Amino acid sequence: MATLNSAVARIDAEARQLDPAKVLLTILIAPLFLTGWLAGKAWLVLAWIWTAVLVGWREARAPRPLKAADDEQ
């Protein structure tokens, strides 16, 4: 129980040293940062998917050499 009390005392001491303006700013900015981060990841996924579709399309449409009649066995 002594370690729990010392941890609570340390938390209390550190909480009293926090600047309310910095805490409020962090709370206001965190959702904006998270939104931007998620948008960046979503864009990366969409760009990857689109590129995979284009590469597949080009591969499917690429000209293939014709087989000669004597190539078949």
Side-chain angles (χ1 to χ4, degrees):
M1 195 69 170
T3 58
L4 181 59
N5 287 338
S6 64
V8 171
R10 238 182 17 239
I11 292 170
D12 187 48
E14 288 186 30
R16 290 181 189 276
Q17 293 175 358
L18 291 176
D19 181 14
K22 288 181 182 178
V23 172
L24 181 61
L25 184 63
T26 302
I27 291 172
L28 292 175
I29 289 177
L32 298 174
F33 174 83
L34 183 61
T35 301
W37 186 85
L38 288 173
K41 292 298 180 182
W43 170 251
L44 181 62
V45 168
L46 290 174
W48 193 90
I49 291 170
W50 180 253
T51 303
V53 167
L54 289 178
V55 168
W57 174 268
R58 289 180 194 138
E59 185 64 27
R61 305 274 299 164
R64 302 283 183 226
L66 296 176
K67 288 187 174 183
D70 57 339
D71 284 346
E72 296 180 17
Q73 294 178 357

